[in-house]
Amino acid sequence: MKFQLSSPGHYLTDLSLPWSLHLTQWPEQHFVKVAHGIHRNVVKFISHKNRVYALKELSRKVAEHEYSMLKELEERGLPVVEAVGLITDRDKEVPKVSWLEEYYDMSDRALLITEYLRGTLPYRVIIENGIDRYQLNLMLDALADLLVKLHLIGFYWGDCSLSNALFKRDAGLMAAYLVDAETASFVPDMTQHRREYDLELAHTNIAGDLMDLQAAGLLPLNMDPIDLTDFLVERYNTLWDELTRDEVFDTAAQHEVEKRIRRLNDLGYNVEEMEINTLESGKKVKMTVNVVEPWHHRRKLQSLTGLDVQENQAKRLLNDLHQYRARINREYDYHIPREVAAFKWLTEIYQPAIDAIPEDLRGGLDPAELYHELLEHRWYMSERFHHDIGLKEAIRSYIENVLKLRALTTEAQ
C-alpha cells in the first residue's frame, strides 16, 4: 500500500485503520458525523488529532487527477479544500482481514483525503436552517465569483454546482470553496465558447439542485429555481465583463486609469499587468488589464524590487508600478521588460519620492505607507481638479498640506 501525503503536518498513516478495504466496508466506528453535501461517490469522514478529514473512494485514475487539480489550485491560492493525501496500491502487501467475507478488487481503487474545512457548510444545510432571498443571492454571488476566479486562471470546472462547493460566511458576505474537481482541467486557452459551456453546465446543475430543494419543500415559496440560477449567470457575466473589458477614454483623463483600478480593487481583484494603446491619433487611449487574485502581491513586489511591505501596501505599489510601465511603454513605443521597468520605477519614482519627504515629518510611518498616502493624496487632488496633477506637485502638496499639518496637530496635543 502507498501513502502519498502532501504535508508532514498531516501524518495520516494510522495503520489501525482498514485503508486496504473499500470505504463501504469500513466499520462505522471509524467515522464521525459532520455536515456534508450530496456526493456521487462514497465519502466518509474521520477524526484524527483534532482535525476532521474527508475520505473519498474513487478509481485510481480519477483520484490521481483530482488530487493534482486540488493541489495546483491550492498552490495558486484559490479557495479550495486542502488535498491532504492519496492512498493507492491498496491490494499490495496488506494483511488479510479476518472478519471480512468478501473482498472488492482494489487494484484500481484509491482514497483521496482532504481536510474538512472548518466553518464551512454545504448549501443544503444553510438553506434547511432558513434562508431569505438576500442570503441566497449572497451564496450565488459567491459561487459566481469562484467560477470567474477559476476561469481567469484557465481552469475549466466542468461540474460547477451548489453540491460541489462549500460556503463560509465572510464579513457579512459569503465565500465559496471548490470541493470537487473530478471533471476539471487546466486549459491552455480559455475561449469564450469554453467559458460559456462551463457556465451553461453550472446553470443546469444549480437549477437541478434548487429544484430538488423545491420538491422537498425546503426552498421558500417565493423563490423560483430558474430565476435564482439566471441571477447567478447574470452576476458571472457582469463580473467577468468588469474584470476583462477594454476601456477607452480621453488621453488627458489619466485619472480614469486610477478609477478603473480602484473599481477592480473594490471587487477584490488586483491588476497584474496593464496595457495602454493610443487611438484616434493620440486623442484617446485604450486600457487593457490582466487581473489576479490578491494573494501574491507582497511576494511579487519583493521579487521585482526587493521591497518587503505589507500585502495591501504591495497592491498599491504594484498598481503604481504597472501604471508607470504602461506609460513609459507608450511614450517610448516599446515594451520595456517588467524587471527593467521595476528598477526604473524604484530608482526614478519611488525612492526619490521617499527621499523628498523630510525625516522629521514622517511621524513614524514606514516608507511604503508614506508612498501609499502620497498616492492617495495625488488621487484626491486629481479628482478635485479633473486632471492628473503629477507626482512632483503631489509631493509638494502632501508635505505642505498633510504632513506639516499633522505634525502641528501632534505638537499641540
Side-chain angles (χ1 to χ4, degrees):
M1 191 154 46
K2 178 181 177 182
F3 292 82
Q4 183 178 347
L5 298 177
S6 62
S7 167
H10 298 286
Y11 191 63
L12 247 180
T13 54
D14 183 351
L15 296 180
S16 67
L17 295 173
W19 299 107
S20 62
L21 302 183
H22 194 281
L23 207 50
T24 57
Q25 295 180 309
W26 285 38
E28 283 295 321
Q29 67 197 49
H30 294 303
F31 302 132
V32 294
K33 292 184 178 179
V34 294
H36 62 86
I38 299 173
H39 304 283
R40 283 193 297 267
N41 299 289
V42 179
V43 177
K44 299 287 186 178
F45 300 89
I46 62 172
S47 177
H48 182 73
K49 294 183 177 179
N50 295 322
R51 290 177 171 176
V52 175
Y53 297 93
L55 308 182
K56 190 174 183 181
E57 182 75 52
L58 294 165
S59 70
R60 178 169 183 157
K61 185 177 180 181
V62 173
E64 288 175 338
H65 173 74
E66 185 166 14
Y67 180 73
S68 67
M69 290 293 101
L70 294 176
K71 289 301 299 174
E72 185 159 352
L73 287 174
E74 182 189 347
E75 288 170 2
R76 295 189 183 209
L78 272 295
V80 59
V81 291
E82 182 181 358
V84 171
L86 186 67
I87 301 178
T88 55
D89 295 340
R90 294 159 71 193
D91 61 332
K92 295 180 180 177
E93 303 294 333
V94 294
K96 293 291 184 183
V97 179
S98 59
W99 47 265
L100 192 65
E101 295 181 354
E102 182 182 3
Y103 278 90
Y104 284 95
D105 178 4
M106 303 301 290
S107 58
D108 186 39
R109 305 299 300 175
L111 272 180
L112 174 66
I113 307 172
T114 57
E115 184 172 11
Y116 185 79
L117 278 172
R118 293 181 181 177
T120 58
L121 288 171
Y123 77 101
R124 288 186 72 92
V125 173
I126 296 174
I127 293 176
E128 284 173 5
N129 287 328
I131 193 168
D132 57 26
R133 177 64 189 250
Y134 174 73
Q135 293 168 321
L136 193 48
N137 283 350
L138 288 182
M139 193 185 300
L140 295 171
D141 258 347
L143 195 55
D145 182 65
L146 174 59
L147 192 56
V148 167
K149 287 175 179 171
L150 296 172
H151 286 172
L152 283 173
I153 63 167
F155 185 85
Y156 173 79
W157 196 341
D159 198 16
C160 173
S161 70
L162 290 169
S163 300
N164 287 336
L166 287 172
F167 297 89
K168 188 175 186 178
R169 299 191 188 282
D170 181 15
L173 301 176
M174 279 198 183
Y177 292 77
L178 182 148
V179 297
D180 190 305
E182 293 174 30
T183 57
S185 61
F186 283 93
V187 294
D189 181 18
M190 179 56 79
T191 62
Q192 181 177 347
H193 174 73
R194 198 185 296 267
R195 279 194 311 104
E196 289 176 347
Y197 184 64
D198 209 15
L199 188 59
E200 184 180 330
L201 288 176
H203 186 281
T204 301
N205 289 341
I206 294 165
D209 289 335
L210 294 173
M211 286 178 181
D212 287 345
L213 287 172
Q214 187 182 50
L218 298 174
L219 195 66
L221 293 175
N222 60 342
M223 296 186 193
D224 179 73
I226 301 301
D227 285 347
L228 290 168
T229 314
D230 288 346
F231 170 81
L232 175 135
V233 172
E234 181 184 337
R235 294 294 296 173
Y236 170 94
N237 286 328
T238 300
L239 181 57
W240 183 265
D241 179 67
E242 179 62 40
L243 295 176
T244 60
R245 65 183 161 83
D246 294 342
E247 193 160 0
V248 177
F249 46 83
D250 290 339
T251 306
Q254 290 295 313
H255 60 294
E256 293 294 335
V257 175
E258 183 76 11
K259 272 188 178 179
R260 176 78 189 281
I261 292 173
R262 283 174 177 259
R263 286 202 304 274
L264 295 172
N265 291 162
D266 289 343
L267 291 169
Y269 291 82
N270 291 285
V271 175
E272 167 73 354
E273 285 189 336
M274 181 166 54
E275 184 176 307
I276 293 180
N277 293 300
T278 55
L279 303 172
E280 301 179 14
S281 302
K283 294 179 181 177
K284 293 184 179 297
V285 293
K286 182 175 76 172
M287 176 185 179
T288 303
V289 297
N290 288 327
V291 296
V292 295
E293 276 293 283
W295 40 264
H296 68 178
H297 295 86
R298 183 176 179 179
R299 186 179 57 203
K300 184 78 172 179
L301 182 71
Q302 189 169 25
S303 69
L304 285 171
T305 66
L307 296 175
D308 185 11
V309 304
Q310 299 301 310
E311 177 66 12
N312 285 329
Q313 293 171 339
K315 293 175 193 174
R316 194 74 177 88
L317 270 56
L318 278 173
N319 283 340
D320 192 59
L321 168 57
H322 294 319
Q323 282 183 260
Y324 172 74
R325 184 186 178 205
R327 188 172 73 248
I328 58 176
N329 280 346
R330 180 161 51 87
E331 288 175 357
Y332 293 106
D333 193 23
Y334 170 69
H335 285 276
I336 295 178
R338 185 182 307 175
E339 292 73 13
V340 176
F343 181 74
K344 283 177 68 65
W345 172 84
L346 180 69
T347 57
E348 298 178 13
I349 304 296
Y350 175 82
Q351 197 58 53
I354 297 301
D355 292 342
I357 299 173
E359 286 281 351
D360 59 342
L361 293 178
R362 296 187 179 186
L365 296 178
D366 61 60
E369 191 65 20
L370 285 168
Y371 195 76
H372 160 69
E373 285 196 356
L374 171 61
L375 293 179
E376 285 292 292
H377 186 71
R378 178 181 177 181
W379 153 254
Y380 285 117
M381 287 189 68
S382 298
E383 281 290 282
R384 186 191 309 162
F385 296 110
H386 304 291
H387 67 84
D388 181 33
I389 65 162
L391 189 59
K392 188 176 180 180
E393 174 59 20
I395 292 171
R396 187 202 62 76
S397 176
Y398 174 60
I399 293 172
E400 293 297 324
N401 301 316
V402 177
L403 294 182
K404 287 187 176 179
L405 182 62
R406 185 182 294 166
L408 289 174
T409 304
T410 303
E411 285 180 8
Q413 290 176 345

